[in-house]
Amino acid sequence: MIKKWFLLVMICLPTAFVQAQDELLKIAEASDSATADYVTGTFKATRLANGHTVETNSDGVLLFLISHRFGTLNSGAYELFGLDQATIRLGLEYGVTDLLDIGIGRSSVEKTFDGFVKYKLLQQRRGKGWPVTLTLFSSAAVRSQKWPEEENNFEFRHRLAYTQQVLIARQFTERFSLQLSPTMVHHNLVPTRRDENNVYALGGGGRFKITKRTSFNAEYFYLLSDQTRQDFRNGLSLGFDIETGGHVFQLIFTNAQGMVEKFFVSQNTGYWSNGDIYFGFNISRVFDLKGKENQDW
């Protein structure tokens, strides 16, 4: 029953927002421009920790993202508490317009390639304007790691997984922002028949700005799918952002090793209580290919 209502919300929510947008924009445009301007910089980067934020890159801006996760802290002193182990994802994101992002990446976990499209459908306005920013996100991931010999009869389609998200965020004050992320991950191949191809989750997170260039972030993905919730764990990540001009450094503690949605949402096995905590970081660097000023993070 929960899945049916969740799927209905995922389908109807963007449509309802689109239908209401014209009327709300008329109201906003009728307001004084000083109280109805757009809210920018709801979050410092396009990632909150593992997951995407509502932010998109400005028109003509190319972002290079390095995501790195060490091993678990409970691996002990011999492994230097995880520092001897590492997984990495390299990604490129490009702002086709101020509202439309495209991106590609490659992760060392299962040698996964991923690509995404991200569109900012609505943007929060001050005063009596639109109260939230709403961004639609769609991605595909393909495993390129070789199958074990006993599984080499699988086809290419079995390597694929897809993610659909509606990202809804509001900047309550200059310092404090929250985001909800209804999510569906579809796996073309699952280990057993009892496992679910469609996994539903509700993500949530927030940012508290400490200084002009630093903030504390938190992110959580709660699994709604019954069987998946028995086999895998909800993802919890805590982070600290440091912005230095064209770079954003994000220091992260998380119970998820993978940096693609199919891993950190629907196939996460780490327990915070057992010390399955991965320390890592994201480094974002932007390049303005059209010669304009850098976007406001």
Side-chain angles (χ1 to χ4, degrees):
M1 187 65 181
I2 292 178
K3 290 191 289 185
K4 291 181 179 178
W5 277 106
F6 184 85
L7 185 58
L8 182 62
V9 170
M10 290 283 287
I11 294 172
C12 295
L13 187 59
T15 304
F17 277 126
V18 171
Q19 292 173 343
Q21 182 182 21
D22 289 342
E23 189 62 31
L24 288 168
L25 287 178
K26 289 178 183 178
I27 296 173
E29 288 167 0
S31 303
D32 183 80
S33 59
T35 60
D37 53 330
Y38 288 110
V39 172
T40 61
T42 304
F43 296 99
K44 193 170 287 290
T46 60
R47 298 295 196 284
L48 190 54
N50 291 318
H52 280 258
T53 68
V54 293
E55 301 298 338
T56 55
N57 295 293
S58 297
D59 179 22
V61 168
L62 177 69
L63 182 145
F64 178 47
L65 178 64
I66 302 172
S67 300
H68 198 288
R69 303 290 183 269
F70 294 101
T72 56
L73 296 182
N74 63 6
S75 58
Y78 182 73
E79 298 291 339
L80 201 56
F81 303 99
L83 296 184
D84 286 350
Q85 308 158 8
T87 57
I88 191 170
R89 179 187 179 274
L90 302 177
L92 289 172
E93 305 175 12
Y94 180 70
V96 180
T97 70
D98 288 341
L99 305 178
L100 177 63
D101 256 10
I102 57 174
I104 57 173
R106 201 275 191 179
S107 171
S108 60
V109 181
E110 294 186 358
K111 304 185 185 299
T112 301
F113 290 88
D114 68 280
F116 70 84
V117 176
K118 190 176 179 183
Y119 182 69
K120 187 179 290 184
L121 182 65
L122 298 168
Q123 188 165 354
Q124 182 182 347
R125 302 184 76 170
R126 295 186 177 89
K128 296 181 180 179
W130 188 251
V132 297
T133 297
L134 188 147
T135 299
L136 305 179
F137 174 83
S138 180
S139 73
V142 55
R143 165 184 170 158
S144 68
Q145 186 177 51
K146 294 180 179 178
W147 296 113
E149 185 175 345
E150 65 275 12
E151 299 177 355
N152 59 11
N153 59 330
F154 288 138
E155 302 173 11
F156 175 77
R157 62 187 176 88
H158 295 133
R159 296 180 175 274
L160 296 170
Y162 306 93
T163 301
Q164 312 294 334
Q165 284 185 313
V166 179
L167 309 174
I168 309 163
R170 176 174 173 80
Q171 185 186 91
F172 290 90
T173 68
E174 184 183 350
R175 289 180 177 272
F176 182 60
S177 302
L178 285 179
Q179 176 173 295
L180 289 177
S181 308
T183 304
M184 181 185 74
V185 180
H186 174 82
H187 297 267
N188 279 356
L189 178 67
V190 291
T192 66
R193 290 185 177 181
R194 75 184 183 94
D195 292 307
E196 298 164 306
N197 293 92
N198 292 328
V199 177
Y200 300 90
L202 180 61
R207 165 202 181 195
F208 182 79
K209 194 173 181 180
I210 301 171
T211 69
K212 182 178 180 180
R213 296 187 179 273
T214 62
S215 67
F216 172 77
N217 299 339
E219 176 185 82
Y220 187 71
F221 282 93
Y222 177 76
L223 292 168
L224 299 173
S225 303
D226 296 335
Q227 187 57 53
T228 303
R229 194 166 61 244
Q230 295 179 29
D231 298 334
F232 297 100
R233 309 278 70 79
N234 298 323
L236 172 63
S237 304
L238 303 176
F240 182 75
D241 286 7
I242 306 170
E243 189 264 326
T244 59
H247 292 80
V248 177
F249 296 90
Q250 297 180 294
L251 305 178
I252 298 166
F253 290 90
T254 177
N255 63 335
Q257 184 181 38
M259 291 154 280
V260 179
E261 286 74 19
K262 62 171 284 190
F263 299 121
F264 67 78
V265 174
S266 60
Q267 294 181 339
N268 179 32
T269 59
Y271 284 88
W272 270 79
S273 58
N274 291 344
D276 298 328
I277 303 170
Y278 300 89
F279 169 68
F281 57 83
N282 297 333
I283 302 177
S284 302
R285 177 68 172 98
V286 295
F287 302 90
D288 188 353
L289 302 187
K290 292 191 176 182
K292 301 181 296 182
E293 293 183 0
N294 284 338
Q295 63 192 61
D296 180 12
W297 287 101

